[in-house]
C-alpha cells in the first residue's frame, strides 16, 4: 500500500485546485452555517438552563393545601385511624387532587419530591383504611377480621406519622423558597 499514500496528497491538491469560486463560497457558507447553528443551539441550552435554575415561586395556594393535608393526617392520628369512607369525603379528595395537579408546576425538585412523598403517604393511608373501625360497626365480625382491621389501622397510623413528618419538611422548604424569592424580588 505504499502507492496509496503517495497518491492521496496529489488528489487533494487537484481537487482544491479545480474548485471554482462559487464552490469555495458554498463550502465557506456551509461551514459558517454549521457554526451559526451550533452557536444558536448553545444559546438555547444556556437560556433554558438559566430559566430552570432561576428562583420561581411555588403557587400561593400550595401552603394552604399542605396545611390542609397536615390537618387531615393529624385528625387521622388523633382518632386512631379512619375507615375507607372518610377518605371519600369531597374535601379530602379535593386536597389530594389539587396537590397532584401542582406536582408538575413546582420548579424546585426538593419541594416537588416532598409534596409527592406526602401525597403518597396520604394515599397509602387510604389504601390501608379498613372498611369499618373497631367498635359497634365491627361487633359481629370474626376475630380474624378484627385482627386484620387492627393491622390495617397500625399501617395507616404509621403512614400518617410519616406523611406528617414529610409535610413539615415540605412546609419548611416552601418557607425557605418564599424567603429566597422575596429576597430576589426586592433586590431586582
Amino acid at each position: 500500500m505504499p502507492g496509496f499514500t503517495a497518491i492521496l496528497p496529489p488528489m487533494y491538491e487537484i481537487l482544491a485546485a479545480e474548485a471554482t469560486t462559487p464552490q469555495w463560497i458554498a463550502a465557506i457558507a456551509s461551514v459558517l452555517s454549521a457554526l451559526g447553528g451550533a452557536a444558536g443551539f448553545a444559546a438555547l441550552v444556556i437560556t433554558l438552563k438559566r430559566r430552570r435554575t432561576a428562583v420561581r415561586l411555588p403557587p400561593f395556594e400550595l401552603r394552604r393545601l399542605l396545611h390542609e393535608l397536615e390537618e387531615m393526617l393529624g385528625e387521622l392520628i388523633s382518632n386512631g385511624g379512619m375507615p375507607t369512607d372518610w377518605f371519600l369525603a369531597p374535601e379530602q379528595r379535593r386536597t389530594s387532587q389539587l396537590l397532584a395537579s401542582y406536582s408538575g408546576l413546582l420548579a424546585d425538585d426538593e419541594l416537588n419530591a416532598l409534596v409527592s412523598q406526602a401525597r403518597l403517604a396520604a394515599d397509602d393511608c387510604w389504601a390501608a383504611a379498613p372498611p369499618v373501625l373497631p367498635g359497634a360497626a365491627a361487633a359481629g365480625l370474626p376475630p380474624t377480621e378484627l385482627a386484620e382491621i387492627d393491622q390495617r389501622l397500625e399501617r395507616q397510623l404509621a403512614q400518617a406519622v410519616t406523611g406528617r413528618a414529610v409535610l413539615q419538611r415540605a412546609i419548611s422548604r416552601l418557607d425557605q423558597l418564599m424567603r429566597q424569592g422575596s429576597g430576589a424580588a426586592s433586590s431586582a
Side-chain angles (χ1 to χ4, degrees), residues 25-96:
I25 291 172
I28 290 171
S30 297
V31 169
L32 290 177
S33 128
L35 290 175
F41 182 72
L44 176 66
V45 168
I46 290 169
T47 302
L48 291 176
K49 193 170 218 172
R50 282 185 182 164
R51 282 186 185 170
R52 177 75 174 139
T53 58
V55 176
R56 288 192 294 179
L57 297 178
F60 181 73
E61 189 181 14
L62 182 63
R63 176 184 309 283
R64 183 182 58 78
L65 292 172
L66 292 175
H67 284 294
E68 281 180 15
L69 187 59
E70 186 179 33
E71 288 175 17
M72 286 171 37
L73 293 178
E75 182 181 346
L76 191 146
I77 292 169
S78 67
N79 287 330
M82 291 293 198
T84 305
D85 60 348
W86 182 80
F87 290 92
L88 297 175
E91 57 273 5
Q92 276 82 343
R93 291 181 48 213
R94 186 185 64 75
T95 299
S96 183

Side-chain angles (χ1 to χ4, degrees), residues 5 14 41 67 77 111-112 139 142 152 161:
T5 55
I14 292 170
F41 182 72
H67 284 294
I77 292 169
L111 180 60
N112 194 20
R152 291 180 80 154
V161 169

